[in-house]
Structures are given as C-alpha cells and as structure tokens.
Amino acid sequence: MTARNKYNFAFLDEGSKREIRRAILKAIAIPGCQIPFGSRELPIGRGWGTGGIQITLSIIGPDDVLKVIDQGSDDSVNAVSIKKFVNTCTGAKLTTDSEEATIIQTRHRIPEEKLREGQTLVLQVPNPEPLRFVERSLINARKLHADMDYSAAWLALYEQITLYDKITLGADYPVMTDGRYVMAPSPIPRYDTMALDDADCLYLFGAGREKMIYAVPPHTSVKPLDFEDYPFAVEYVKGRRCRVCGAEGVFFDEIFDSGTGERYFQCSDSGFCKKNADRANGERGVSVAADSEG
Amino acid sequence: MAYVAVKGGEAAIAASIELLTLSRSGGAGRVEPDTLTARMRQLLDRVMCESGLYAPEYAALALKQSEGSPEEAVFLMRAYRSTLPRSHTSRVIDCRDMRLARRISSAFKDIPSGQMLGASFDYTHRLLDFGLADEREEELASARTRIIAGADQTAAEPDMRAGRVSDLLKAEGIIKPSPPDDAEPDDITRDKLILPASRSARLQTLFRADTGFVCGVAYAGLRGYGFSAHPTIGELRAGYVEVEIPYPSDGNESIVLGEIMFTEVEAFVSSHTSSRDEEFDELGAEIGYGLAFGKAETKAIAMSILDCALNHPGDAPPNDEEFVLLHGEGLEMSGFISHLKLPHYVTFQSKLDNVRATRRGGNHKEKETGNDGAE
C-alpha cells in the first residue's frame, strides 16, 4: 500500500482534524451533550463507524496502540477493515489486548477488562439522539434537551411497564449523564451500561452520519433511566459459561451448532476470551487459539 | 462448522476484494477514462453533482473503478474530497454571465435574447437505435464535421449570454426582489447542517442530494402531497460559467481557473401576501431555484420545486425540512442501509433477552431472576 505517502497522516487534512478535536474538547467539557461537527466523508461507509473513525483519526499519534472491535470481536469484517485503514494511514501499532491499547475503537461493546486512566474508548454511534424514540424531529429534541424536559422519555418507559410489566428497551439504553443530559450510550448491551459510570477512562462517542460528538469524561456519573420499583436490569447471563475459555458472568454470543442443533455460549469480547483461554491452557501446558473453534 | 461469529475473516475479505478485480476485468474492451469523459458525459455530470466535486477526470476514474456504479463512484469522489484542504473560495458566480448551450422558458413564448433548444433528448422518440451497435467511428466523425459546418452558417450569436426572465417580473413588481445578501454562506461540507437550515445550506444539500430522491419527493409534491402548486418553468438554462478566485496579492484582481457547466432553473409559483392595510390580498409570484452540475434538467427542476415547497413548512414530506434535507444524502442513505449487513449479534441478543423475559410471564422481579428461557 502506498496510501501513506499519497495521503496526509491519518487521512484527513490537518484543518479538519483540528476542527474535530475542538468538538471533542467541547464535548468533554459538557458531559453527555451532543456537539455538532462537520463530519467528513471517509473511504468507509456512513453508518459503518465513520464517527468513531473520525475521532480516532483526529486523536491518534504515531505512538498510539490501537484496538478495534465490532460487537466485541477483533476479527469481525468491519473491525478488520477499520483497523487496516487506520494502520495504513498512520502506521499506529495494532493490538487485540485491551490492556495494551491506548485507543480502543468499538462498535456496540465495552471490553470486559476494566479500562484504566489514560485509555480512550471511542464508541461508534448510529443514532446519537436518545429522544428519537419519543420525538422524531431533531429541532424539537434539541429544545427538550435545552429545557431538560425529559418527561416524554420517562413516560415512554412507564408505558412499557403498563404493557409488558417490564422496561423493554434493549441495547442503547438511555442514561442520565452528569445529572444533566439524557444520552444514548450507543447500542451497547444493558450489561455494559454500568461501565460508563465513574470510570477511570475517557469515553468518546462519534456519530458520523448524524454529525455529532459527545463524551463521558473520567469519573462522571452515568445513571440509566429507571424507576425505584422497576430498577434497571441487565441482560440475563447467569448460569452461562463460555465454551472456549470457561468464563462466567460476562456478556455472551449465543451460538447454534447447525449439526447438533445445540445452543451454547461464547464470550462476546474476543480479546478477553483469547487471553483467558491462553492463560487456562498455559496452566495446563497446551496452547490453543481461542478462535480455532470458528 | 462454517462462518461462526465471522472469525478469521481476514483471508475471506482479501479474496473478496480480489474478486472485484476479476469482476471488472471481463470482456476484451478497455475502459479509458478519456472515453468516459467524452462519451458518458451525463453519467459524469451526475457523479460530480452528487459528489459536490467538479472533476471530470476523477469522476471517470471513479466510474472505471466502480464498474459504472454511480453510487459507488460518488462514494469514492467524496472520500477523496475529504483529504483536500480548502485553499480558495471562488468569487460569486452569476449565471447571467453563462455562455449558453440551451435556454428555454415555459412562461413566455418570446423572451429577450430568445429561446435556444441546444442539444436535448426532449424532442427525440426514445427508440433504441440498433444502428449504434456497429456504428463506425468515421461516420460519427463526418457527421460531427457536417453539423459544425452547418451551425457556423446559421448561428446568430455563438457566444450567447442573456439576462434572466425573472428580471422582467422583478422590474414589474410581480416578483419581489430578494434583498441583496452578502453574508458568508453556510458550508455543509465543513459544518453540520443545523436545522432550521439557512437557504444556502438548503440549496447546497439539494444540489448534492441523490437525483432519484430529489425527483421522487418533488414528484410527490406535484401530485398533491403538501404544497402542491404547479410551478411554471420561468427559465431553464444550461451552459458554461467561468470560475474566478481573487488574485492572492491583490484582492481586486481575479484569476480565472476555468469553466464549469451548470443547469440552472427558476420556477415560478403564484403566491399571495396578506396585507393588513389593503382590502384584498395581493397575488404575486415567487421563485424556486434549482442548480446542478452539467446537464441535469430533471434534477434541477425538482430542486426548484422543493426549494419552493420548503418555503411553506408543513407536515407533508415535501414541506418537511427535516424529511427533505436529511434523507437525500446519497452516502448517508446507502451507508446506513448497507450497514444492516454488518453483524448485530450483541444488539439482537439484547433484544432477544427482552422478548424471552416478557414471554416468561409472572411479575418483573421473577423475570429478571428466572432462567433464560432456553427450553
């Protein structure tokens, strides 16, 4: 590939990257508030993580170590494609190890291993507007945020309880950030939501198509919207066990064996799973790649 | 077992990309970008317009690379555009200075400087010309020589320029001239489109919007969804305009960078202004504006219809600014639709968890702690 010689470092021109960094700084200063930015077109499709990629391209330096995951997996087609693109135009080192990475770009998962101070998790966001499910119009939604008028969102949750005796929101469960802004945490499972609260790392959210950036700085309060008698609940993971590494109590992919019709579980976080399996196998003196089952 | 959780995809992806080269290498003919620039001009026009990048050679290259898919070619052009620094802003282009290739009016039979049909498919019968299958290049060349020779004898003004038809109605007071506005226009390629959109942002968005979308929504408006005035094309003109930038050391001087082709449309729709002082409302006309790179008449007309429609906010799709301006962006629509092909294992798992929980019955506390409904 000769792309690095033909294009600027990190693809975008310096002026564009600076603009995006300004939006990021503003987002960090007002946790959970959506900051509009002049989203650029990338060689990767809108809706395929271009918001996250633009953040990554704007903050990455030659010494950074990058990990990219898609729904938990390091090897998913789009994670591979994004990784390759960023590496081609920056030369930054790649890893699958959450602890080694300085920047982790992710679609719809937060790694199982707790992230530390100095690490940045860049989340790809399809729909940055948490009020979209109650208010179609962007103009009206902006007014509701300004007035901190979240009654419609609360009412929608209450309606679900009257219909199903349960809050039926799945991934992308709306949260209150810093006691001020209702925020879409991106379609992470509910299981991951609590990792946003009082974290040591920095979370940056990029919506390329909708042209918004927002952030959860370290040690910010992030609380899911719920009721005292109907508390926020994560997905059911109890009693499940990863068939590759044996992990329990983590978020799983559900897999059907087409031969036997059997259903089993495997860690959704592939980097964590591999490490865990290597450790277990190391103790037993065998080395088997975690994904050799695939 | 095959294809579990898309692991080990790298080799498969590499092979898929290689197959693309195979896919565009079939047959004996070579595709020269030069051929596309000369003979597939209207396809190039569409790609350049939706890309917001006037670069015929790159558009031709993009089409070669994308096996002729305009959607993909626009994608390539836009991505390339993102890497270019903005070094100059052109002077304002006034299409009155257009070197005309075509100019028609549906409002008046006789317009100052006259109508000029130019090259158009409008007056042909759309009969597939089987003769083109084995057309000889020499025949085409001699036809070309003959047509040019004939035109030289009859053409009244080879470099025709003309004022606008709307200037007449403005002079008469039927169309209210808009106050001159020298404010810096918004730039949707550098800043997020903020709603309600300024007119400059609206027109830029429609200019780059997908041709099919713009035409479809405008057609819905014509058929009566929302604001449904039947516009009259005051003027449709196509031709070449010069692009000038200020001379770097002396702002009063200009450098001409070259010529680009536009199609410009002014559509007239009747309007009325309610007046408190007068007994009756006053009827008048307002203008919808459409502009596109190259030859793109249907799109330019459709754009002028939507420009009018958006002046009359309403709930119908053609009058709904958010609907019109946010859903015609080609890269965004194709990108988000195609992202559905990506894995959604985690999000679907989360949804499934809810479905299973609501099916288990009992009160919500039991549901959260009950088994996972695998049975």
Side-chain angles (χ1 to χ4, degrees):
Chain A
M1 284 284 254
T2 55
R4 219 190 314 168
N5 307 329
K6 288 212 165 171
Y7 292 102
N8 192 30
F9 178 83
F11 191 73
L12 297 169
D13 67 279
E14 292 302 315
S16 297
K17 285 193 287 178
R18 195 173 305 130
E19 259 183 61
I20 294 166
R21 284 196 293 267
R22 281 190 193 131
I24 294 171
L25 288 173
K26 193 168 171 186
I28 292 171
I30 319 171
C33 180
Q34 300 170 52
I35 310 299
F37 79 112
S39 178
R40 305 297 198 260
E41 286 94 347
L42 295 178
I44 289 172
R46 284 264 205 242
W48 291 58
T50 54
I53 300 170
Q54 287 179 82
I55 290 180
T56 298
L57 292 175
S58 304
I59 62 173
I60 201 167
D63 300 330
D64 273 307
V65 182
L66 177 72
K67 170 181 165 84
V68 181
I69 47 176
D70 186 320
Q71 305 241 336
S73 169
D74 290 280
D75 307 318
S76 174
V77 276
N78 202 39
V80 170
S81 155
I82 292 171
K83 232 178 335 198
K84 196 174 266 177
F85 171 62
V86 178
N87 171 260
T88 305
C89 61
T90 63
K93 198 183 154 201
L94 302 175
T95 183
T96 60
D97 184 348
S98 297
E99 285 179 307
E100 192 194 4
T102 55
I103 300 171
I104 302 175
Q105 182 172 326
T106 172
R107 172 169 173 260
H108 308 356
R109 264 322 301 278
I110 292 175
E112 298 287 352
E113 289 161 284
K114 193 173 185 320
L115 299 177
R116 60 169 193 279
E117 193 186 323
Q119 286 183 304
T120 303
L121 192 76
V122 179
L123 292 104
Q124 303 169 194
V125 179
N127 173 17
E129 182 47 74
L131 301 180
R132 183 73 52 86
F133 77 112
V134 290
E135 175 55 66
R136 188 188 65 183
S137 155
L138 287 175
I139 296 177
N140 292 344
R142 212 148 55 106
K143 285 181 191 153
L144 293 177
H145 281 295
D147 295 341
M148 212 181 150
D149 178 356
Y150 295 128
S151 48
W154 287 105
L155 195 59
L157 297 186
Y158 176 72
E159 271 175 8
Q160 292 178 358
I161 291 171
T162 60
L163 284 172
Y164 307 108
D165 191 27
K166 187 181 190 310
I167 296 173
T168 54
L169 297 177
D172 208 355
Y173 193 99
V175 292
M176 173 65 83
T177 303
D178 200 25
R180 173 60 184 86
Y181 283 99
V182 167
M183 181 188 96
S186 89
I188 53 173
R190 301 191 298 285
Y191 170 88
D192 283 343
T193 309
M194 294 320 295
L196 294 169
D197 184 47
D198 191 25
D200 294 330
C201 65
L202 168 67
Y203 295 104
L204 297 177
F205 298 79
R209 200 172 39 79
E210 301 280 346
K211 308 180 184 68
M212 290 290 191
I213 286 174
Y214 50 105
V216 174
H219 307 295
T220 303
S221 142
V222 177
K223 305 288 178 213
L225 302 188
D226 63 357
F227 299 99
E228 266 172 33
D229 51 343
Y230 280 79
F232 171 76
V234 301
E235 288 83 355
Y236 189 87
V237 293
K238 279 190 200 114
R240 295 179 178 175
R241 193 168 178 278
C242 175
R243 71 151 196 172
V244 176
C245 74
E248 287 173 13
V250 298
F251 195 79
F252 294 105
D253 283 340
E254 183 174 334
I255 293 165
F256 293 92
D257 188 315
S258 50
T260 63
E262 200 185 333
R263 189 174 67 137
Y264 56 90
F265 297 96
Q266 189 168 320
C267 295
S268 151
D269 183 339
S270 67
F272 167 80
C273 187
K274 180 171 171 5
K275 226 187 205 181
N276 221 13
D278 283 351
R279 204 179 296 134
N281 291 326
E283 280 162 16
R284 274 181 273 139
V286 219
S287 174
V288 184
D291 55 0
S292 63
E293 301 292 340
Chain B
M1 130 199 14
Y3 199 68
V4 168
V6 230
K7 304 264 162 133
E10 255 183 280
I13 295 168
S16 165
I17 293 170
E18 194 153 88
L19 277 179
L20 272 179
T21 309
L22 188 67
S23 168
R24 67 172 188 86
S25 66
R30 269 174 65 86
V31 176
E32 301 292 351
D34 283 354
T35 317
L36 293 175
T37 336
R39 302 283 166 89
M40 294 281 159
R41 189 54 211 230
Q42 300 207 22
L43 180 56
L44 262 63
D45 287 344
R46 175 171 179 168
V47 169
M48 293 191 297
C49 191
E50 292 177 12
S51 307
L53 180 62
Y54 197 92
E57 294 82 7
Y58 289 170
L61 204 59
L63 281 163
K64 177 176 179 173
Q65 188 178 335
S66 64
E67 295 185 67
S69 157
E71 173 187 336
E72 197 59 32
V74 169
F75 196 164
L76 291 166
M77 294 274 279
R78 289 275 193 94
Y80 176 64
R81 197 182 189 283
S82 291
T83 67
L84 305 174
R86 173 73 52 91
S87 37
H88 299 282
T89 303
S90 80
R91 293 209 187 277
V92 173
I93 290 170
D94 185 346
C95 282
R96 288 184 186 84
D97 300 330
M98 184 182 270
R99 189 163 64 80
L100 290 168
R102 170 166 163 83
R103 180 185 188 232
I104 56 166
S105 171
S106 316
F108 300 104
K109 208 183 264 181
D110 249 337
I111 50 176
S113 308
Q115 305 208 24
M116 174 182 173
L117 298 187
S120 173
F121 294 124
D122 285 357
Y123 320 110
T124 66
H125 293 136
R126 268 62 165 214
L127 299 169
L128 198 55
D129 185 351
F130 296 103
L132 292 186
D134 49 9
E135 181 186 47
R136 296 209 328 272
E137 197 58 28
E138 306 86 74
E139 287 171 32
L140 197 58
S142 69
R144 187 182 164 82
T145 318
R146 175 175 53 76
I147 294 163
I148 290 172
D152 277 345
Q153 296 152 17
T154 54
E157 291 174 81
D159 262 359
M160 187 170 138
R161 284 169 168 78
R164 290 213 181 99
V165 173
S166 60
D167 293 340
L168 301 172
L169 295 176
K170 279 178 187 163
E172 204 183 320
I174 288 175
I175 292 175
K176 280 216 180 77
S178 10
D181 181 4
D182 285 334
E184 180 96 358
D186 285 335
D187 183 348
I188 59 157
T189 69
R190 301 272 135 173
D191 299 304
K192 177 181 161 67
L193 174 72
I194 299 291
L195 299 168
S198 65
R199 185 131 184 279
S200 60
R202 174 205 292 178
L203 295 176
Q204 287 166 37
T205 305
L206 291 172
F207 185 100
R208 298 208 309 175
D210 179 76
T211 305
F213 176 85
V214 173
C215 295
V217 179
Y219 176 53
L222 275 185
R223 284 193 69 247
Y225 278 80
F227 174 79
S228 62
H230 183 300
T232 304
I233 295 174
E235 179 167 359
L236 179 154
R237 56 169 67 193
Y240 301 86
V241 289
E242 287 179 346
V243 180
E244 294 176 12
I245 56 165
Y247 193 78
S249 60
D250 177 4
N252 297 322
E253 297 287 308
S254 292
I255 305 174
V256 176
L257 296 182
E259 270 190 333
I260 59 180
M261 191 185 195
F262 279 115
T263 300
E264 185 196 55
V265 170
E266 283 194 334
F268 301 157
V269 292
S270 51
S271 66
H272 65 91
T273 38
S274 33
S275 144
R276 280 189 202 145
D277 311 330
E278 309 290 328
E279 194 180 347
F280 297 105
D281 287 358
E282 201 174 50
L283 282 177
E286 59 180 60
I287 296 179
Y289 187 75
L291 187 74
F293 275 150
K295 288 185 182 180
E297 299 189 357
T298 314
K299 182 178 182 183
I301 296 167
M303 177 173 164
S304 72
I305 293 169
L306 291 180
D307 181 35
C308 267
L310 292 178
N311 286 335
H312 301 269
D315 289 336
N319 304 101
D320 181 335
E321 185 182 46
E322 291 202 28
F323 185 91
V324 173
L325 298 186
L326 294 186
H327 299 111
E329 166 53 44
L331 251 66
E332 284 163 15
M333 64 167 91
S334 71
F336 203 47
I337 290 172
S338 66
H339 109 282
L340 297 175
K341 293 181 278 188
L342 290 175
H344 281 73
Y345 309 132
V346 168
T347 35
F348 188 69
Q349 192 63 224
S350 186
K351 197 173 286 178
L352 206 54
D353 178 79
N354 267 331
V355 172
R356 284 172 177 158
T358 55
R359 285 179 164 225
R360 277 196 290 272
N363 74 40
H364 72 281
K365 291 194 177 79
E366 286 165 17
K367 286 176 201 170
E368 302 311 337
T369 52
N371 70 40
D372 66 352
E375 293 75 35

Short mmCIF file of all heavy atoms in Angstrom, two decimals, chain A residues 109-144:
data_model
loop_
_atom_site.label_atom_id
_atom_site.label_comp_id
_atom_site.label_asym_id
_atom_site.label_seq_id
_atom_site.Cartn_x
_atom_site.Cartn_y
_atom_site.Cartn_z
N ARG A 109 -19.90 -2.51 22.09
CA ARG A 109 -19.45 -3.25 23.27
C ARG A 109 -18.43 -2.42 24.03
O ARG A 109 -17.72 -1.61 23.43
CB ARG A 109 -18.75 -4.57 22.89
CG ARG A 109 -19.52 -5.90 22.87
CD ARG A 109 -20.53 -6.13 23.93
NE ARG A 109 -20.07 -6.09 25.33
CZ ARG A 109 -19.48 -7.11 25.95
NH1 ARG A 109 -19.26 -8.25 25.33
NH2 ARG A 109 -19.11 -7.00 27.22
N ILE A 110 -18.36 -2.63 25.35
CA ILE A 110 -17.27 -2.11 26.16
C ILE A 110 -16.48 -3.34 26.61
O ILE A 110 -17.10 -4.31 27.06
CB ILE A 110 -17.82 -1.31 27.37
CG1 ILE A 110 -18.50 -0.03 26.86
CG2 ILE A 110 -16.70 -0.97 28.35
CD1 ILE A 110 -19.17 0.80 27.93
N PRO A 111 -15.16 -3.32 26.48
CA PRO A 111 -14.40 -4.53 26.82
C PRO A 111 -14.67 -4.99 28.25
O PRO A 111 -14.97 -4.19 29.14
CB PRO A 111 -12.94 -4.08 26.66
CG PRO A 111 -12.99 -2.96 25.69
CD PRO A 111 -14.29 -2.25 25.94
N GLU A 112 -14.55 -6.31 28.46
CA GLU A 112 -14.78 -6.89 29.79
C GLU A 112 -13.74 -6.39 30.79
O GLU A 112 -14.06 -6.13 31.95
CB GLU A 112 -14.72 -8.42 29.72
CG GLU A 112 -15.78 -9.07 28.82
CD GLU A 112 -17.18 -9.05 29.42
OE1 GLU A 112 -17.34 -8.67 30.60
OE2 GLU A 112 -18.13 -9.39 28.68
N GLU A 113 -12.49 -6.25 30.36
CA GLU A 113 -11.45 -5.81 31.28
C GLU A 113 -11.62 -4.32 31.58
O GLU A 113 -11.79 -3.53 30.65
CB GLU A 113 -10.06 -6.05 30.67
CG GLU A 113 -9.70 -7.51 30.61
CD GLU A 113 -8.59 -7.78 29.61
OE1 GLU A 113 -8.86 -7.79 28.39
OE2 GLU A 113 -7.45 -7.99 30.06
N LYS A 114 -11.57 -3.96 32.85
CA LYS A 114 -11.80 -2.57 33.24
C LYS A 114 -10.72 -1.67 32.65
O LYS A 114 -9.53 -1.95 32.78
CB LYS A 114 -11.79 -2.48 34.77
CG LYS A 114 -12.31 -1.18 35.33
CD LYS A 114 -12.40 -1.30 36.85
CE LYS A 114 -13.01 -0.11 37.56
NZ LYS A 114 -12.69 1.20 37.13
N LEU A 115 -11.13 -0.59 32.01
CA LEU A 115 -10.16 0.31 31.38
C LEU A 115 -9.60 1.28 32.42
O LEU A 115 -10.27 1.63 33.39
CB LEU A 115 -10.82 1.06 30.23
CG LEU A 115 -11.35 0.14 29.12
CD1 LEU A 115 -12.04 0.95 28.05
CD2 LEU A 115 -10.23 -0.70 28.53
N ARG A 116 -8.36 1.67 32.17
CA ARG A 116 -7.67 2.49 33.19
C ARG A 116 -7.55 3.93 32.71
O ARG A 116 -7.88 4.26 31.57
CB ARG A 116 -6.29 1.90 33.49
CG ARG A 116 -5.41 1.85 32.28
CD ARG A 116 -3.97 1.52 32.56
NE ARG A 116 -3.24 1.82 31.34
CZ ARG A 116 -3.17 1.02 30.29
NH1 ARG A 116 -3.77 -0.17 30.30
NH2 ARG A 116 -2.51 1.38 29.20
N GLU A 117 -7.06 4.77 33.62
CA GLU A 117 -6.82 6.17 33.32
C GLU A 117 -5.85 6.27 32.14
O GLU A 117 -4.91 5.50 32.03
CB GLU A 117 -6.20 6.82 34.56
CG GLU A 117 -6.17 8.31 34.54
CD GLU A 117 -5.40 8.86 35.74
OE1 GLU A 117 -5.53 8.27 36.84
OE2 GLU A 117 -4.68 9.85 35.57
N GLY A 118 -6.09 7.19 31.26
CA GLY A 118 -5.20 7.37 30.11
C GLY A 118 -5.67 6.62 28.87
O GLY A 118 -5.21 6.90 27.77
N GLN A 119 -6.56 5.67 29.05
CA GLN A 119 -7.09 4.96 27.89
C GLN A 119 -8.35 5.67 27.38
O GLN A 119 -9.10 6.24 28.17
CB GLN A 119 -7.45 3.51 28.26
CG GLN A 119 -6.22 2.62 28.44
CD GLN A 119 -6.62 1.18 28.73
OE1 GLN A 119 -7.35 0.92 29.69
NE2 GLN A 119 -6.15 0.26 27.91
N THR A 120 -8.55 5.62 26.07
CA THR A 120 -9.74 6.24 25.48
C THR A 120 -10.54 5.18 24.73
O THR A 120 -9.99 4.45 23.90
CB THR A 120 -9.34 7.36 24.50
OG1 THR A 120 -8.54 8.31 25.20
CG2 THR A 120 -10.57 8.06 23.94
N LEU A 121 -11.82 5.09 25.06
CA LEU A 121 -12.69 4.19 24.32
C LEU A 121 -13.54 5.03 23.37
O LEU A 121 -14.25 5.94 23.80
CB LEU A 121 -13.61 3.42 25.28
CG LEU A 121 -14.35 2.25 24.63
CD1 LEU A 121 -13.42 1.07 24.41
CD2 LEU A 121 -15.54 1.81 25.47
N VAL A 122 -13.41 4.76 22.07
CA VAL A 122 -14.15 5.52 21.06
C VAL A 122 -15.32 4.67 20.59
O VAL A 122 -15.13 3.61 20.01
CB VAL A 122 -13.23 5.87 19.87
CG1 VAL A 122 -14.01 6.64 18.82
CG2 VAL A 122 -12.01 6.65 20.33
N LEU A 123 -16.53 5.13 20.88
CA LEU A 123 -17.71 4.33 20.52
C LEU A 123 -18.35 4.84 19.23
O LEU A 123 -18.52 6.05 19.05
CB LEU A 123 -18.74 4.35 21.65
CG LEU A 123 -18.30 3.63 22.92
CD1 LEU A 123 -17.89 4.63 23.98
CD2 LEU A 123 -19.39 2.71 23.45
N GLN A 124 -18.68 3.93 18.34
CA GLN A 124 -19.37 4.27 17.10
C GLN A 124 -20.87 4.37 17.41
O GLN A 124 -21.43 3.50 18.05
CB GLN A 124 -19.14 3.19 16.05
CG GLN A 124 -17.67 2.97 15.76
CD GLN A 124 -17.40 1.73 14.93
OE1 GLN A 124 -16.26 1.30 14.85
NE2 GLN A 124 -18.41 1.15 14.31
N VAL A 125 -21.46 5.45 16.92
CA VAL A 125 -22.86 5.72 17.29
C VAL A 125 -23.74 5.82 16.05
O VAL A 125 -23.51 6.67 15.21
CB VAL A 125 -22.95 7.05 18.07
CG1 VAL A 125 -24.39 7.35 18.45
CG2 VAL A 125 -22.06 7.03 19.30
N PRO A 126 -24.74 4.95 15.93
CA PRO A 126 -25.65 5.09 14.79
C PRO A 126 -26.67 6.21 14.99
O PRO A 126 -26.97 6.96 14.07
CB PRO A 126 -26.35 3.73 14.71
CG PRO A 126 -26.19 3.12 16.06
CD PRO A 126 -24.99 3.73 16.70
N ASN A 127 -27.19 6.34 16.20
CA ASN A 127 -28.20 7.35 16.47
C ASN A 127 -27.90 8.05 17.79
O ASN A 127 -28.14 7.50 18.85
CB ASN A 127 -29.59 6.69 16.51
CG ASN A 127 -30.65 7.66 16.95
OD1 ASN A 127 -30.45 8.88 16.92
ND2 ASN A 127 -31.78 7.14 17.39
N PRO A 128 -27.35 9.27 17.71
CA PRO A 128 -26.92 9.93 18.94
C PRO A 128 -28.07 10.53 19.75
O PRO A 128 -27.87 10.96 20.87
CB PRO A 128 -26.02 11.06 18.41
CG PRO A 128 -26.56 11.37 17.06
CD PRO A 128 -27.09 10.08 16.51
N GLU A 129 -29.27 10.57 19.18
CA GLU A 129 -30.37 11.25 19.84
C GLU A 129 -31.19 10.29 20.70
O GLU A 129 -31.98 9.51 20.17
CB GLU A 129 -31.26 11.92 18.78
CG GLU A 129 -32.42 12.72 19.35
CD GLU A 129 -32.01 13.63 20.48
OE1 GLU A 129 -31.38 14.65 20.22
OE2 GLU A 129 -32.28 13.31 21.67
N PRO A 130 -31.04 10.36 22.03
CA PRO A 130 -31.75 9.40 22.88
C PRO A 130 -33.25 9.64 22.88
O PRO A 130 -34.02 8.76 23.26
CB PRO A 130 -31.17 9.66 24.27
CG PRO A 130 -30.68 11.07 24.23
CD PRO A 130 -30.23 11.31 22.82
N LEU A 131 -33.68 10.83 22.46
CA LEU A 131 -35.11 11.13 22.48
C LEU A 131 -35.79 10.75 21.16
O LEU A 131 -36.98 10.98 21.00
CB LEU A 131 -35.33 12.63 22.77
CG LEU A 131 -34.74 13.11 24.10
CD1 LEU A 131 -35.01 14.60 24.29
CD2 LEU A 131 -35.31 12.32 25.27
N ARG A 132 -35.02 10.19 20.23
CA ARG A 132 -35.60 9.85 18.92
C ARG A 132 -36.82 8.95 19.08
O ARG A 132 -37.77 9.02 18.33
CB ARG A 132 -34.53 9.19 18.05
CG ARG A 132 -34.92 8.83 16.63
CD ARG A 132 -35.05 10.02 15.69
NE ARG A 132 -33.91 10.91 15.64
CZ ARG A 132 -32.84 10.73 14.86
NH1 ARG A 132 -32.76 9.69 14.08
NH2 ARG A 132 -31.86 11.60 14.87
N PHE A 133 -36.80 8.08 20.09
CA PHE A 133 -37.92 7.15 20.23
C PHE A 133 -39.19 7.81 20.76
O PHE A 133 -40.25 7.20 20.74
CB PHE A 133 -37.51 5.88 21.03
CG PHE A 133 -37.42 6.06 22.52
CD1 PHE A 133 -38.33 5.41 23.37
CD2 PHE A 133 -36.42 6.83 23.10
CE1 PHE A 133 -38.24 5.55 24.75
CE2 PHE A 133 -36.33 6.97 24.48
CZ PHE A 133 -37.24 6.33 25.31
N VAL A 134 -39.06 9.04 21.23
CA VAL A 134 -40.27 9.76 21.62
C VAL A 134 -40.48 11.04 20.80
O VAL A 134 -41.57 11.60 20.79
CB VAL A 134 -40.29 10.13 23.12
CG1 VAL A 134 -40.46 8.88 23.96
CG2 VAL A 134 -39.03 10.88 23.52
N GLU A 135 -39.43 11.50 20.12
CA GLU A 135 -39.55 12.75 19.36
C GLU A 135 -38.80 12.63 18.04
O GLU A 135 -37.58 12.56 18.02
CB GLU A 135 -38.99 13.92 20.20
CG GLU A 135 -38.96 15.25 19.47
CD GLU A 135 -40.31 15.65 18.91
OE1 GLU A 135 -41.24 15.90 19.68
OE2 GLU A 135 -40.43 15.68 17.65
N ARG A 136 -39.54 12.60 16.94
CA ARG A 136 -38.93 12.39 15.64
C ARG A 136 -38.11 13.59 15.19
O ARG A 136 -37.07 13.46 14.56
CB ARG A 136 -40.06 12.12 14.63
CG ARG A 136 -39.58 11.70 13.26
CD ARG A 136 -40.74 11.65 12.30
NE ARG A 136 -41.29 13.00 12.11
CZ ARG A 136 -42.36 13.27 11.36
NH1 ARG A 136 -43.01 12.31 10.78
NH2 ARG A 136 -42.80 14.51 11.23
N SER A 137 -38.60 14.78 15.52
CA SER A 137 -37.97 15.99 14.99
C SER A 137 -36.72 16.37 15.77
O SER A 137 -36.72 16.48 16.99
CB SER A 137 -38.98 17.14 15.03
OG SER A 137 -38.30 18.38 15.09
N LEU A 138 -35.64 16.60 15.04
CA LEU A 138 -34.38 16.99 15.68
C LEU A 138 -34.48 18.35 16.35
O LEU A 138 -33.91 18.59 17.41
CB LEU A 138 -33.26 17.04 14.63
CG LEU A 138 -32.74 15.71 14.09
CD1 LEU A 138 -31.73 15.96 12.99
CD2 LEU A 138 -32.10 14.91 15.22
N ILE A 139 -35.21 19.26 15.69
CA ILE A 139 -35.35 20.61 16.24
C ILE A 139 -36.04 20.54 17.59
O ILE A 139 -35.59 21.13 18.57
CB ILE A 139 -36.15 21.51 15.28
CG1 ILE A 139 -35.38 21.69 13.96
CG2 ILE A 139 -36.44 22.85 15.91
CD1 ILE A 139 -36.10 22.51 12.92
N ASN A 140 -37.14 19.76 17.65
CA ASN A 140 -37.87 19.64 18.92
C ASN A 140 -37.02 18.94 19.98
O ASN A 140 -37.04 19.32 21.15
CB ASN A 140 -39.18 18.89 18.71
CG ASN A 140 -40.15 19.69 17.87
OD1 ASN A 140 -39.95 20.89 17.70
ND2 ASN A 140 -41.16 19.04 17.33
N ALA A 141 -36.28 17.91 19.55
CA ALA A 141 -35.46 17.18 20.52
C ALA A 141 -34.41 18.11 21.13
O ALA A 141 -34.13 18.05 22.33
CB ALA A 141 -34.78 15.99 19.84
N ARG A 142 -33.87 18.99 20.32
CA ARG A 142 -32.85 19.93 20.82
C ARG A 142 -33.45 20.85 21.88
O ARG A 142 -32.83 21.15 22.89
CB ARG A 142 -32.31 20.75 19.64
CG ARG A 142 -30.86 21.15 19.78
CD ARG A 142 -30.16 21.21 18.43
NE ARG A 142 -30.84 22.09 17.50
CZ ARG A 142 -30.40 23.31 17.13
NH1 ARG A 142 -29.28 23.76 17.64
NH2 ARG A 142 -31.06 24.02 16.27
N LYS A 143 -34.70 21.27 21.63
CA LYS A 143 -35.37 22.13 22.61
C LYS A 143 -35.59 21.37 23.92
O LYS A 143 -35.40 21.92 25.00
CB LYS A 143 -36.73 22.59 22.07
CG LYS A 143 -36.61 23.67 21.00
CD LYS A 143 -38.01 24.09 20.54
CE LYS A 143 -37.92 24.96 19.30
NZ LYS A 143 -39.14 24.87 18.48
N LEU A 144 -36.01 20.09 23.80
CA LEU A 144 -36.26 19.30 25.00
C LEU A 144 -34.98 19.17 25.84
O LEU A 144 -35.02 19.29 27.06
CB LEU A 144 -36.80 17.92 24.63
CG LEU A 144 -38.19 17.89 23.99
CD1 LEU A 144 -38.59 16.46 23.60
CD2 LEU A 144 -39.24 18.48 24.93
#
